[in-house]
Amino acid sequence: MTRLTFHGGARSPHPAPGTDTPSRPVSWSRTRRKVVAVTAGVALALGTGGSAGARTTAPAPEPSWQKAVERILTAERLKGAATSIVISDADSGRTLYERNPGKRLMPASNTKLLTSAAAMDVLGPDYRYRTDVLAHGDRHGGRLDGDLYVRGTGDPTLLAEDYDALAADVAAAGIKTVTGELVADDTRFDSQRLGRSWAADDESAYYSSQISALSLAPDTDYDTGSVHLEIVPGSSTGEKPKVKVTPSNSYVDVDVTATTVDRGGKNTITVEREHGGNTLTVSGGIPAGADPDESWTSVWEPTGYAASVFADALKRHGVRVSGKTEPGRATPDGAERVARHTSMPLAKISVPFMKLSNNNHAEVLTKTMGDETAGKGTWSAGLKAVRDFLEKQDVDAGTLRQVDGSGLSRMNNVSARHIATLLHSVRKKPWFKQWYDALPVACAGDRMTGGTLRSRMCDTPAEGNAHAKTGSLTGASALSGYVTDADGRELAYSIVLNNYLAGSVKDIEDAIVVALASDGRETGSGAGAGKKARPKGAEGTGEDRRPAGPLVVGPECSWKKPARC
């Protein structure tokens, strides 16, 4: 059974909740018009002198880009795939086009739209994390007869230099010797390090790093809980390459089995971390004279990693700790704070988080929301805070499933309607501009502006215009955000595609957004992507090509650092 629902003055059949419909436009026009109300099949005449049933209202014109979108969606790569698409007027929220709007699919990193918006609302754009060093015991001149604690609250932007500054402050506070232990307090969050159904073969990847309230990142991409390896070829064939680890630390061990191969040979370098430990094995071959290879690799137990880097910093600043380093113990009441590091505000953290699709940030924010709202730094408490926020934004959270903050889990199920509703509702929030500015921007070359869209939709009307969140897992892709059309109207769109066998459908998403930006005039005649919608540099990544075999698996291009995607 279907029911009739008004969309901008025109009626269209709308399915009962939980059902799907085929693609259909929702009629609209740029001018106001009167609506003919239909009750029990009887048309009521409008104006004077008309008789009931004698007049009908002409259908409103289709959106100018509708045919282009329909043509794009006939792409061969989408045969047998699942789609959920909603395009709406961003201001009014009025739906202009939809295809299977309520179909729940894997949103991949579009999940971060839900998490980031909730964090901005629950925590606030000015929210900051604090990392403290505290002394517990008796002070006798430069000696602390007791323990020294470093207590984290989840800061995902801590660098080795920040721990060095904390150590310098401890020394400046007059502490030279600690007779007890160095304790790493990560107890704000629970001890569950990995999200539900995260793939085991991703465990050593930086984008699947473990979650802790006390950790650190190797660089200003802020890939928390990971180390950066630079692998430099030897000077002659057969020689082992040299490996530099950033930050320098004694927590991870590097086992180099790789060799330098002939100039012009193939680079086959791989870096893997053993399960349950921190031995990083560098294997394969790197050509002589080649540029250094780079790898970002997660660590096992990031709390211990942070404590190790901090312990080394204390030594450099002349602070000697007699006891061992112990992770996971809460700071006792009455401990005296001797140093503090305060993070950048959440609005600023949101830039690397959303531009670079940082999974660790999403999970840290989820657990932070749990602690702030329920006093529990857990995924379950944090996801409840996200659900409560979504319900207040008219998103029916009872008809979606979210099991992590980042979208790395394949258990997440969200429809384009859920996302499109959120995109409209958050425009009324006082923090909306800061959130909007954190979204990747099409073909904006700077990584902290363009982010994961920095080489997409170049030389099209969407360049510098489309602001959107990307999402990719094997067989799942999504693009949701905002774009201004040729008449200056801002549109919100959510495109979620699943169960395709091609290596990528990114160019199909791009072609749809370019059609919206240009009222369908720039997309070319083919299904999938005209030349003007082709991502600049895609020839080098293979991101828009058909797979050689029936199925291409592996992490999305945007996670293959330092590749340009």
Side-chain angles (χ1 to χ4, degrees), residues 352-363:
F353 167 31
M354 296 294 278
K355 300 287 189 185
L356 304 182
S357 201
N358 191 304
N359 292 336
N360 191 287
H361 292 195
E363 310 307 347

Side-chain angles (χ1 to χ4, degrees), residues 57-95:
T57 300
E62 297 173 345
S64 54
W65 38 259
Q66 179 206 323
K67 289 182 179 178
V69 170
E70 290 289 351
R71 191 166 56 243
I72 292 162
L73 291 173
T74 64
E76 181 73 18
R77 281 169 289 163
L78 292 183
K79 280 191 175 180
T83 62
S84 183
I85 300 171
V86 172
I87 301 166
S88 62
D89 182 298
D91 251 348
S92 67
R94 183 177 61 203
T95 301

Side-chain angles (χ1 to χ4, degrees), residues 10-138:
R11 280 186 170 183
S12 63
H14 192 78
T19 64
D20 295 313
T21 60
S23 168
R24 64 178 183 275
V26 181
S27 299
W28 64 288
S29 69
R30 293 188 175 90
T31 58
R32 293 180 180 272
R33 63 185 185 275
K34 295 181 179 179
V35 178
V36 177
V38 181
T39 304
V42 179
L44 303 179
L46 298 177
T48 58
S51 58
R55 298 180 63 184
T56 60
T57 300
E62 297 173 345
S64 54
W65 38 259
Q66 179 206 323
K67 289 182 179 178
V69 170
E70 290 289 351
R71 191 166 56 243
I72 292 162
L73 291 173
T74 64
E76 181 73 18
R77 281 169 289 163
L78 292 183
K79 280 191 175 180
T83 62
S84 183
I85 300 171
V86 172
I87 301 166
S88 62
D89 182 298
D91 251 348
S92 67
R94 183 177 61 203
T95 301
L96 308 178
Y97 176 90
E98 56 188 23
R99 171 181 283 212
N100 299 325
K103 192 177 190 71
R104 290 185 292 271
L105 300 173
M106 287 184 293
S109 285
N110 266 210
T111 306
K112 294 182 177 75
L113 290 167
L114 315 183
T115 304
S116 61
M120 289 289 276
D121 204 69
V122 173
L123 305 175
D126 297 325
Y127 185 88
R128 295 174 186 262
Y129 291 93
R130 292 178 174 84
T131 304
D132 292 332
V133 181
L134 305 102
H136 185 256
D138 298 324

Side-chain angles (χ1 to χ4, degrees), residues 176-520:
K176 301 301 179 184
T177 302
V178 178
T179 62
E181 298 176 337
L182 174 62
V183 181
D185 181 354
D186 62 356
T187 57
R188 188 187 191 195
F189 296 166
D190 67 358
S191 59
Q192 187 175 348
R193 299 296 191 217
L194 298 173
R196 289 181 65 186
S197 79
W198 287 5
D201 55 0
D202 281 340
E203 186 184 293
S204 65
Y206 80 92
Y207 55 79
S208 186
S209 62
Q210 298 184 15
I211 310 305
S212 169
L214 186 68
S215 189
L216 80 156
D219 53 39
T220 53
D221 278 6
Y222 301 113
D223 295 312
T224 307
S226 68
V227 292
H228 172 243
L229 273 62
E230 182 182 65
I231 303 153
V232 181
S235 56
S236 60
T237 301
E239 186 179 336
K240 285 188 176 183
K242 295 179 175 62
V243 179
K244 178 184 177 182
V245 180
T246 302
S248 177
N249 68 90
S250 56
Y251 193 68
V252 301
D253 295 316
V254 179
D255 179 20
V256 181
T257 64
T259 58
T260 303
V261 300
D262 292 338
R263 288 177 182 270
K266 188 176 181 181
N267 187 332
T268 58
I269 290 291
T270 62
V271 179
E272 293 290 337
R273 174 177 55 75
E274 62 179 353
H275 173 75
N278 282 301
T279 296
L280 311 183
T281 301
V282 181
S283 59
I286 184 169
D291 291 335
D293 196 89
E294 296 181 271
S295 173
W296 286 258
T297 306
S298 71
V299 303
W300 183 267
E301 282 297 338
T303 301
Y305 170 44
S308 174
V309 169
F310 183 53
D312 290 343
L314 287 169
K315 290 177 185 176
R316 286 195 302 273
H317 288 279
V319 179
R320 186 173 66 87
V321 180
S322 301
K324 63 181 181 179
T325 299
E326 181 182 352
R329 198 171 86 205
T331 306
D333 293 338
E336 174 195 1
R337 190 179 81 215
V338 294
R340 165 170 284 182
H341 173 79
T342 302
S343 76
M344 63 185 78
L346 175 57
K348 192 171 179 181
I349 293 173
S350 295
V351 174
F353 167 31
M354 296 294 278
K355 300 287 189 185
L356 304 182
S357 201
N358 191 304
N359 292 336
N360 191 287
H361 292 195
E363 310 307 347
V364 162
L365 288 169
T366 300
K367 291 195 174 189
T368 302
M369 285 186 277
D371 183 69
E372 291 289 342
T373 59
K376 298 177 181 178
T378 65
W379 264 295
S380 59
L383 291 170
K384 182 181 185 304
V386 175
R387 286 194 302 273
D388 291 346
F389 163 77
L390 292 175
E391 290 287 357
K392 293 175 184 176
Q393 310 314 308
D394 298 322
V395 177
D396 186 1
T399 59
L400 63 81
R401 180 171 64 217
Q402 183 179 358
V403 303
D404 65 11
S406 65
L408 188 57
S409 173
R410 300 181 74 87
M411 291 179 66
N412 293 305
N413 274 158
V414 179
S415 72
R417 178 184 289 143
H418 292 126
I419 297 172
T421 301
L422 178 69
L423 291 174
H424 165 64
S425 65
V426 296
R427 288 169 57 85
K428 298 172 285 189
K429 292 292 185 179
W431 43 259
F432 172 72
K433 185 179 185 307
Q434 294 161 299
W435 184 78
Y436 174 85
D437 288 344
L439 294 173
V441 180
C443 202
D446 178 73
R447 294 178 72 252
M448 291 302 176
T449 305
T452 54
L453 283 181
R454 62 189 178 276
S455 63
R456 292 174 59 177
M457 293 177 269
C458 295
D459 303 321
T460 75
E463 178 177 340
N465 174 3
H467 291 60
K469 184 70 198 73
T470 57
S472 303
L473 293 170
T474 299
S477 187
L479 185 66
S480 300
Y482 307 91
V483 68
T484 301
D485 70 13
D487 294 326
R489 177 195 302 267
E490 188 169 23
L491 304 177
Y493 55 88
S494 180
I495 306 163
V496 187
L497 309 174
N498 276 196
N499 302 331
Y500 51 86
L501 299 182
S504 175
V505 291
K506 297 300 185 189
D507 59 324
I508 294 175
E509 298 167 350
D510 292 352
I512 292 173
V513 177
V514 171
L516 301 181
S518 56
D519 279 348

